[in-house]
Amino acid sequence: MTIPSDRYLLAAEVEYLYAHYCEALDEGRIDHWPSFFVDASLYRITTRDNLERDMPLSLVLCKGQAMIRDRALALQKTVMYRNRCQRRMLSGIRVVDGDVDGEGMKTRASFLVYESVGDEPTRLLASGCAHDVVVRQAGALKFKQRLLVIDASVMPDSLVFPI
Amino acid sequence: MTIPSDRYLLAAEVEYLYAHYCEALDEGRIDHWPSFFVDASLYRITTRDNLERDMPLSLVLCKGQAMIRDRALALQKTVMYRNRCQRRMLSGIRVVDGDVDGEGMKTRASFLVYESVGDEPTRLLASGCAHDVVVRQAGALKFKQRLLVIDASVMPDSLVFPI
Amino acid sequence: MTIPSDRYLLAAEVEYLYAHYCEALDEGRIDHWPSFFVDASLYRITTRDNLERDMPLSLVLCKGQAMIRDRALALQKTVMYRNRCQRRMLSGIRVVDGDVDGEGMKTRASFLVYESVGDEPTRLLASGCAHDVVVRQAGALKFKQRLLVIDASVMPDSLVFPI
């Protein structure tokens, strides 16, 4: 057998992190969101168009967990998400390279975000690709980076909640 | 290494159960549906709205495998699903807690159900979250509970087939 | 423990193959596409309707890697995919049976293909099921067969790019 089993067990652990993260946001537990990041972390949402042209534009940009916590607090005060329900679907979660116990391990995932508001039918908010960096902190995996690249060139205005 | 490998192997086994279940329904093998449940099982589809308000309303409610078998039989007699094709997509399958060899193991998963009818374009029927309980019976994993919570507050009328 | 761990490690390896494959196509790296197949391979896209009626119609049919390479080359010359971005989502990846080191191992997966073009909102191109055969070649998993069965009976005309 030539299967490097450690790599696949680590992949399963990464899948668990993503499942846990999406579950928290889908349930509207925005106060839980910062706990998925380490102190020196980067969270950014942009479009593929912006990224390819090397444009610094971002829909959301948080440098460090403190800024992520501020954003979570601000979102918590809005009531808008009460009658909204979002659903995050991931596919193709993949460990690229790097070391989870060192500088960090690069991971990739494709995502869809759906939203159901009031009596309206459920609709797709965005599709895209996540370029993440994961590290281990006190035994648990955390995000050191989440770079979320949306496929559409026009940002959906209702994408206030994090992906 | 601190990875509890047994837990991740069990997670893989759970993923297999879900894949197998969705495949049977997507292929219209409704007669196969009851075999995924143990005798004393609960199957329920409701909305998030109903669940949060503690309302007993359900789109579908089956108490026990016998009732699930009755429903399967009734659906088998309708021809409506012949020119329909459904596609179930899951994401974030996660073992929450509990014991698969004891009272049961709680699992979670996000789902999308798509439908293609005749010449019409494929459309999303529902998104939601499954709150399930899985037990082992004669070696194989089976559902002791499937509680399917739809995100939209309005039930799609064409959701006759199980999720 | 009765879990056949080898089977689940192999399943994880299969998941990696699919993630890698979708990533290459989602990023528009069509030149990379033929490398996922062995020489004597079959690539076909058809509809569920055609398959059930045993009709030989295909949207795409490539017999052998050379023909896949020709198609990749032809697609590379078109510029149409430059302002298009596709997103492949998979679910229910499952090892059915067979031997990856022998005649090949049958695998299954449900898929969605989304497309974002210019300023238009992201839309679903197709949902369906993949019936694949995977073999090991020089250590790496490759496709011996990809049979992609689309749920809708009408083919989306913009499905020029492979699934």
Side-chain angles (χ1 to χ4, degrees):
Chain A
M1 281 300 239
T2 58
I3 303 171
S5 65
D6 281 7
R7 174 174 141 201
Y8 289 112
L9 287 175
L10 190 55
E13 211 183 353
V14 167
E15 293 227 13
Y16 188 86
L17 168 69
Y18 278 108
H20 213 206
Y21 178 96
C22 290
E23 198 177 297
L25 290 180
D26 287 349
E27 291 184 344
R29 287 186 274 117
I30 185 75
D31 56 309
H32 202 184
W33 181 48
S35 70
F36 288 99
F37 295 86
V38 292
D39 278 359
S41 52
L42 183 82
Y43 179 87
R44 185 186 172 197
I45 305 180
T46 189
T47 62
R48 194 178 55 106
D49 231 36
N50 280 337
L51 204 72
E52 283 178 359
R53 293 184 199 173
D54 231 343
M55 307 258 282
L57 282 176
S58 302
L59 182 68
V60 179
L61 179 63
C62 295
K63 291 176 176 173
Q65 201 204 30
M67 207 164 153
I68 292 173
R69 207 176 285 122
D70 281 353
R71 187 169 175 87
L73 210 64
L75 285 169
Q76 225 173 336
K77 284 178 186 162
T78 70
V79 289
M80 63 128 256
Y81 65 85
R82 295 221 168 259
N83 63 342
R84 273 169 203 266
C85 181
Q86 292 190 340
R87 186 62 51 201
R88 284 150 186 81
M89 303 296 285
L90 299 186
S91 173
I93 298 171
R94 189 170 82 83
V95 170
V96 182
D97 56 29
D99 181 6
V100 80
D101 295 304
E103 285 297 291
M105 183 175 71
K106 286 184 191 173
T107 61
R108 295 281 297 265
S110 286
F111 65 83
L112 300 175
V113 186
Y114 283 87
E115 191 172 69
S116 306
V117 186
D119 289 352
E120 293 162 46
T122 302
R123 71 192 182 101
L124 180 66
L125 273 193
S127 72
C129 182
H131 302 247
D132 301 329
V133 178
V134 173
V135 291
R136 193 185 301 279
Q137 193 185 61
L141 295 189
K142 306 266 178 184
F143 288 112
K144 191 183 173 184
Q145 181 195 287
R146 287 222 80 190
L147 168 58
L148 299 141
V149 186
I150 289 174
D151 293 331
S153 52
V154 181
M155 283 283 192
D157 59 306
S158 51
L159 202 61
V160 182
F161 227 63
I163 295 174
Chain B
M1 281 301 241
T2 58
I3 303 172
S5 66
D6 281 7
R7 174 174 142 200
Y8 289 113
L9 286 175
L10 190 54
E13 210 183 355
V14 167
E15 293 226 14
Y16 188 87
L17 169 68
Y18 279 109
H20 212 205
Y21 177 97
C22 291
E23 198 177 297
L25 290 180
D26 286 349
E27 290 183 344
R29 287 186 275 118
I30 185 73
D31 56 309
H32 202 186
W33 181 49
S35 70
F36 288 99
F37 295 87
V38 293
D39 279 357
S41 51
L42 183 82
Y43 179 86
R44 184 186 173 197
I45 305 180
T46 189
T47 62
R48 194 178 55 105
D49 231 37
N50 280 337
L51 203 72
E52 284 178 0
R53 293 186 198 172
D54 231 344
M55 306 258 282
L57 284 175
S58 302
L59 182 69
V60 178
L61 178 64
C62 295
K63 291 176 177 174
Q65 202 204 29
M67 208 164 151
I68 291 172
R69 206 176 286 122
D70 281 353
R71 187 169 174 88
L73 210 64
L75 285 168
Q76 226 173 334
K77 283 178 185 163
T78 71
V79 289
M80 63 129 257
Y81 65 87
R82 294 225 167 258
N83 63 341
R84 273 170 203 265
C85 182
Q86 294 190 340
R87 185 63 49 201
R88 284 149 186 81
M89 303 296 285
L90 299 187
S91 173
I93 298 171
R94 189 171 81 83
V95 170
V96 182
D97 55 30
D99 181 7
V100 81
D101 294 304
E103 285 298 291
M105 184 175 69
K106 287 183 191 173
T107 60
R108 297 280 299 265
S110 286
F111 65 82
L112 300 174
V113 185
Y114 283 87
E115 191 173 70
S116 306
V117 186
D119 289 353
E120 293 163 45
T122 301
R123 71 190 180 103
L124 180 67
L125 273 192
S127 71
C129 182
H131 301 247
D132 301 330
V133 178
V134 172
V135 291
R136 193 184 301 278
Q137 193 183 63
L141 295 189
K142 305 267 177 181
F143 289 112
K144 191 183 173 183
Q145 179 194 289
R146 286 223 81 191
L147 168 59
L148 299 142
V149 186
I150 290 174
D151 292 332
S153 52
V154 181
M155 284 283 193
D157 59 307
S158 51
L159 201 61
V160 182
F161 227 62
I163 295 174
Chain C
M1 282 299 243
T2 58
I3 303 171
S5 65
D6 280 7
R7 174 174 142 199
Y8 290 112
L9 286 175
L10 189 55
E13 210 182 355
V14 167
E15 293 225 14
Y16 188 86
L17 169 69
Y18 278 109
H20 213 205
Y21 178 96
C22 290
E23 198 177 296
L25 290 180
D26 287 348
E27 291 184 344
R29 287 186 274 118
I30 185 75
D31 57 308
H32 201 184
W33 180 50
S35 70
F36 289 98
F37 295 87
V38 293
D39 278 358
S41 52
L42 184 81
Y43 179 87
R44 184 187 173 197
I45 305 180
T46 188
T47 62
R48 193 177 56 104
D49 231 36
N50 280 338
L51 203 72
E52 284 177 0
R53 293 185 199 172
D54 232 343
M55 307 259 281
L57 284 176
S58 302
L59 182 69
V60 179
L61 179 64
C62 296
K63 291 176 177 173
Q65 202 204 28
M67 208 165 151
I68 292 172
R69 207 176 286 122
D70 282 353
R71 187 168 175 88
L73 210 64
L75 286 169
Q76 225 173 335
K77 283 177 186 163
T78 70
V79 289
M80 63 129 256
Y81 65 86
R82 295 222 167 258
N83 62 342
R84 272 169 205 266
C85 181
Q86 292 190 340
R87 185 64 48 201
R88 284 150 186 80
M89 304 294 287
L90 299 186
S91 173
I93 298 171
R94 189 170 81 82
V95 170
V96 182
D97 55 29
D99 181 7
V100 80
D101 295 304
E103 285 297 291
M105 184 176 69
K106 286 184 192 173
T107 60
R108 296 281 297 266
S110 287
F111 65 82
L112 299 175
V113 185
Y114 284 87
E115 192 173 68
S116 305
V117 186
D119 290 352
E120 293 163 47
T122 302
R123 71 193 181 100
L124 180 68
L125 273 192
S127 71
C129 182
H131 302 247
D132 301 329
V133 178
V134 173
V135 291
R136 192 184 302 281
Q137 193 183 61
L141 295 189
K142 306 266 178 185
F143 288 112
K144 190 182 174 185
Q145 180 195 288
R146 286 222 80 189
L147 169 58
L148 299 141
V149 186
I150 289 175
D151 293 331
S153 52
V154 181
M155 283 283 192
D157 59 307
S158 51
L159 201 62
V160 182
F161 228 63
I163 295 174

